[in-house]
Amino acid sequence: MLFQRSLAARRAMLLAGTASAVAMSALWTLPAHAAEDEVSPILIPELVVDAPEEDPADSRTFAVEEIGGQPARDAGELISRIPGVSAGRRGGHGSDISIRGMTQDRIAVISDGAYVFGACPSRMDPPTSSMMPMSGDSITVRRGYQTVLDGPPAPAGTVSLERADSADFAEGLSGNLEGGYESNGSQRYASMQARAVENGSYIRGFFTGRRADNYEDGDGREVRSAFKQYGGGGEVGLRYGADSLLSLSMEENHVVDAYFAGAGMDAPWTATDTYRLAVDHNFAEAGVFKGFDASVYGSFVDHVMDNYSLRTPGMMTMRTDATSDTRGARLAGDFAFGAVEVTLGGDYRRNDRDAVSYSSMMAAVPPTTISNYTWPGMEIEDVGIFAEVKAPLAEKTDLITGIRTDFVSVRATKADVLPGGMGAVTARTLYGTFYGVTQTDQDETNVSGLVRVMHDFGDFSGWVGASRAVRTADATERGIVRAPAMGGGGWVGNPGIDPEKHHQVDMGMEITRPVWKASTSIWYDNVQDFISRDIARGQSGVLVNDGVSSIFRNVDAELAGIDIAAQWAFAPSWRIGADIAYTYGENTTDDRPLYQIPPLSGSLELTYDVTEWSAGSRLRWAAKQSRSDTSTATGSGLDLQETSGYAVIDLFGTWRLADALTLQGGIANILDTTYASYLNEANGFDPAVVQVNEPGRSAYLQVNFEF
């Protein structure tokens, strides 16, 4: 049934509700009036920046420069500092984010309106790794399925790097230069952004370069994590008519010589090129039809990984050459019927992934024998049509409803191409061996929708929503091929896998007072046909029972969680803030914990801020995670261990040397704590540790000049 819950899920929701009630009750009883009497009203820095007032607390926009901490090695690491977002790492570059206990293609990652999908089958290059935060102005995070307008459904949420409207910048030339250094790993970087604006039209350019050596964990162990990254791009925009805009942008990002402690190979080369043409048209004398927006884009990723360019190989050399090309378009019109706002439109997205793996038993460099067509020409095409309506139900109550239908077509163009080597078989043969399915051409019609009510109660605002999000399987889940070899297991996608159906309900509230603010949200997700990676044991729909091969199958699952954030300006120039997030996940088909669910975690921050300078400390913590799927005998084994809790303390400060010149610095992990995120990969280089550890103590300094 849609909302049938296990006893464990009901207990999790009860605990979440109790924690929320206790936390909000405690905040409600803060001495608000006394604080207003004893402390002059203070403008509290918002927990988020530029978020529309009507947005609930689980949809937030952050200015890039206001996401604190030491210089982030990539956008994934930066985004993981946002409340409610976690990340796992396998090295220094390529942090893979998690929202509401879900990762990979369950999260939509959009960079200035364009989708990018990584080209590494092992996710050395998740989509966030190709984003350049300095190329944008803000990052929006929407937790859960909140709109049908963002393209094919992503049930975990959406992360979007966005650029500010040129109207927000002064006429003429402006921009900024930034550079920094971090001691642990000798990370150094520089970036530049410049723009020229005249009568609303503009041209802007940006460039960034970053490199880092291997860092050390808290025990002084060297972690294989070095990389080099550089990139840049530009955008031109023509303002015309009734504040309408035509824009063209392109960017290029290269990651070179990326070392990975948590992978069997390194990545000597990854290149991403992205192009976008867009128009946002508003009618000067609009009637019912207010305007429209249209865009086309393309993102093209080339990736090379091997086990010999950056490390000493064994008897076998291996290399994989992979590409991921995404093309898309969108057209949407905005209509107004009195106070009712309607958006109608459609979008198109096609992702082509191809990966060819080579190997040599004689340690030849480079290897020339094709061992697998790892992604055998996977083509996934999605055509979507959507409608979303926002209407006032009462003076302080708004209703948002949306529906979309996605028509999905999948092809595997190399399913019948035979690789080299003894005993080689085609992808289609392996699909038949593992699942009894040989039909690789698949078509789906998926219907998703949502309803959301938001109400302003005066002292606080609240919302409640329900949604259905249907996610089709990605190229790996549906078609990856790594044939079993030398007694080892294979890794085979399932071309007949059913799409996931997420049925979510969430509710929350947000309170804002003169000197404090707080928000909380509770959510529950009942998933039918969750696409689970597992070990082949002859389960339903799986014909192989070797106990070692990785397969994909549909199971039912439940997820639930709670997010709380608060901030209090308890004295002039002083403020304290905290956030906490908890996620529960259960594979209800197999009665075991869902894998890769981060533990209870959060942060606590104390800041003193005056005009010329600011200083503060931050506590980052995570509780023990004992709900793990670690068994390779009875489970998936995708969780490496039950992790213990940790607490890490950072110090940070800012000195405004002049109106245009700012110096930032601090010490991250000042106690040199040794710890690993629960989501981190296994460390294949150091037998003394299980997972790739996070960096130990590190001092950093950054300077920013605006002009």
Side-chain angles (χ1 to χ4, degrees):
M1 297 297 292
L2 181 59
F3 296 111
Q4 181 180 1
R5 304 179 186 176
S6 66
L7 177 60
R10 291 196 295 270
R11 287 175 176 170
M13 291 302 294
L14 179 60
L15 288 173
T18 303
S20 177
V22 170
M24 300 312 294
S25 297
L27 288 168
W28 190 268
T29 57
L30 281 173
H33 299 295
E36 293 167 20
D37 292 338
E38 298 169 10
V39 181
S40 299
I42 303 165
L43 179 60
I44 303 176
E46 293 287 340
L47 292 174
V48 294
V49 180
D50 296 332
E53 292 181 0
E54 67 271 14
D55 281 358
D58 49 4
S59 177
R60 291 305 196 188
T61 301
F62 299 78
V64 170
E65 67 274 10
E66 293 194 6
I67 302 175
Q70 69 269 36
R73 289 171 172 80
D74 67 1
E77 184 176 303
L78 181 72
I79 294 166
S80 71
R81 299 171 187 169
I82 294 173
V85 183
S86 303
R89 71 164 73 241
R90 64 182 73 240
H93 200 272
S95 293
D96 212 353
I97 61 173
S98 171
I99 299 176
R100 291 190 170 181
M102 292 176 275
T103 60
Q104 303 186 17
D105 286 359
R106 295 179 179 93
I107 303 173
V109 178
I110 306 171
S111 181
D112 189 36
Y115 282 85
V116 180
F117 293 95
C120 176
S122 298
R123 294 188 69 83
M124 291 178 178
D125 64 337
T128 51
S129 69
S130 66
M131 294 172 67
M132 293 182 285
M134 43 67 60
S135 71
D137 299 288
S138 63
I139 295 174
T140 295
V141 176
R142 284 187 283 273
R143 299 195 296 262
Y145 190 54
Q146 295 191 35
T147 178
V148 300
L149 307 181
D150 280 344
T158 300
V159 173
S160 178
L161 177 67
E162 299 167 349
R163 293 175 183 158
D165 193 294
S166 60
D168 296 333
F169 298 109
E171 294 280 305
L173 181 66
S174 62
N176 71 287
L177 300 170
E178 185 173 287
Y181 177 82
E182 183 180 13
S183 63
N184 193 348
S186 297
Q187 182 187 185
R188 52 274 196 203
Y189 80 98
S191 66
M192 177 276 293
Q193 182 175 186
R195 67 188 73 86
V197 181
E198 183 174 355
N199 297 325
S201 297
Y202 63 92
I203 182 171
R204 68 189 292 172
F206 47 88
F207 171 82
T208 184
R210 185 182 303 268
R211 65 183 299 165
D213 301 328
N214 295 336
Y215 65 74
E216 294 183 351
D217 66 13
D219 288 332
R221 292 188 179 93
E222 184 175 302
V223 178
R224 190 177 178 84
S225 55
F227 69 92
K228 305 180 187 74
Q229 182 268 334
Y230 59 90
E235 181 180 20
V236 294
L238 173 65
R239 184 77 61 179
Y240 70 94
D243 199 28
S244 299
L245 180 66
L246 175 67
S247 63
L248 173 66
S249 65
M250 68 82 60
E251 53 186 82
E252 183 174 324
N253 184 49
H254 293 171
V255 179
V256 182
D257 293 346
Y259 291 65
F260 293 99
M265 300 188 197
D266 300 309
W269 176 257
T270 302
T272 305
D273 297 322
T274 306
Y275 308 91
R276 182 173 182 258
L277 175 66
V279 60
D280 185 359
H281 185 85
N282 299 301
F283 294 108
E285 298 180 1
V288 171
F289 191 15
K290 310 293 287 186
F292 67 88
D293 64 87
S295 63
V296 293
Y297 67 87
S299 62
F300 308 93
V301 185
D302 294 323
H303 175 78
V304 177
M305 60 179 177
D306 65 42
N307 71 339
Y308 55 84
S309 295
L310 304 174
R311 65 177 72 184
T312 302
M315 287 299 297
M316 177 180 287
T317 54
M318 298 179 292
R319 187 182 86 248
T320 296
D321 298 338
T323 60
S324 176
D325 297 338
T326 306
R327 300 167 179 84
R330 183 179 187 273
L331 175 63
D334 296 321
F335 302 84
F337 302 91
V340 178
E341 301 173 4
V342 180
T343 300
L344 301 174
D347 51 45
Y348 171 82
R349 191 181 76 188
R350 171 172 170 162
N351 177 238
D352 298 344
R353 294 189 187 183
D354 188 85
V356 182
S357 296
Y358 302 84
S359 64
S360 172
M361 290 298 297
M362 304 305 294
V365 175
T368 56
T369 300
I370 297 177
S371 54
N372 290 289
Y373 289 98
T374 309
W375 276 331
M378 297 301 299
E379 299 176 355
I380 301 179
E381 189 175 55
D382 188 303
V383 177
I385 54 175
F386 54 80
E388 189 163 290
V389 179
K390 180 178 179 181
L393 294 181
E395 182 180 354
K396 296 184 177 182
T397 305
D398 289 327
L399 170 69
I400 297 177
T401 60
I403 188 170
R404 69 172 289 132
T405 301
D406 289 273
F407 304 94
V408 181
S409 297
V410 183
R411 305 290 181 265
T413 60
K414 295 182 179 179
D416 296 313
V417 179
L418 187 69
M422 295 180 58
V425 294
T426 66
R428 193 182 305 277
T429 299
L430 279 173
Y431 299 149
T433 299
F434 273 76
Y435 306 104
V437 176
T438 57
Q439 178 58 262
T440 57
D441 292 355
Q442 302 286 342
D443 296 292
E444 298 172 356
T445 300
N446 300 327
V447 179
S448 305
L450 59 89
V451 59
R452 201 169 186 85
V453 178
M454 297 182 290
H455 183 76
D456 183 357
F457 292 92
D459 289 335
F460 64 94
S461 59
W463 70 92
V464 61
S467 65
R468 168 186 166 92
V470 182
R471 182 189 75 91
T472 193
D474 64 22
T476 296
E477 296 162 333
R478 193 182 291 275
I480 197 166
V481 172
R482 185 178 297 165
M486 295 187 300
W491 186 15
V492 181
N494 184 348
I497 200 93
D498 289 330
E500 289 181 351
K501 297 91 174 174
H502 290 254
H503 303 98
Q504 302 181 27
V505 292
D506 64 348
M507 61 184 300
M509 62 180 179
E510 184 170 17
I511 306 169
T512 301
R513 296 291 182 88
V515 295
W516 65 272
K517 65 183 300 182
S519 63
T520 184
S521 63
I522 305 172
W523 57 274
Y524 171 77
D525 186 1
N526 183 291
V527 192
Q528 297 173 341
D529 296 321
F530 183 89
I531 299 173
S532 175
R533 182 175 172 178
D534 210 337
I535 294 175
R537 299 189 191 87
Q539 301 97 322
S540 176
V542 179
L543 305 183
V544 172
N545 184 10
D546 62 8
V548 289
S549 290
S550 289
I551 51 91
F552 295 91
R553 55 190 280 255
N554 290 118
V555 300
D556 290 337
E558 290 178 323
L559 297 105
I562 181 171
D563 300 274
I564 301 174
Q567 193 174 91
W568 180 28
F570 60 90
S573 302
W574 286 94
R575 71 176 182 272
I576 186 170
D579 63 81
I580 185 172
Y582 173 72
T583 300
Y584 166 91
E586 178 80 0
N587 175 341
T588 57
T589 296
D590 300 321
D591 293 324
R592 67 185 190 223
L594 203 60
Y595 55 82
Q596 293 290 279
I597 302 296
L600 175 73
S601 61
S603 68
L604 177 66
E605 183 172 303
L606 176 67
T607 306
Y608 180 79
D609 190 351
V610 293
T611 303
E612 297 81 10
W613 61 276
S614 65
S617 63
R618 180 186 304 108
L619 173 68
R620 296 177 283 123
W621 61 272
K624 176 182 179 180
Q625 178 58 292
S626 57
R627 285 184 48 79
S628 301
D629 185 6
T630 57
S631 174
T632 56
T634 60
S636 71
L638 293 176
D639 293 330
L640 296 174
Q641 61 178 341
E642 296 183 358
T643 54
S644 58
Y646 65 82
V648 178
I649 298 175
D650 305 330
L651 300 179
F652 57 88
T654 300
W655 185 16
R656 300 168 186 88
L657 300 173
D659 289 342
L661 186 62
T662 303
L663 193 66
Q664 294 177 302
I667 304 176
N669 191 1
I670 191 170
L671 299 181
D672 212 15
T673 302
T674 300
Y675 72 105
S677 166
Y678 181 74
L679 303 178
N680 287 3
E681 296 289 339
N683 190 326
F685 274 82
D686 191 341
V689 296
V690 176
Q691 293 177 275
V692 176
N693 282 334
E694 295 293 316
R697 181 167 50 239
S698 186
Y700 63 93
L701 188 65
Q702 305 175 99
V703 61
N704 183 283
F705 175 71
E706 297 183 356
F707 60 89

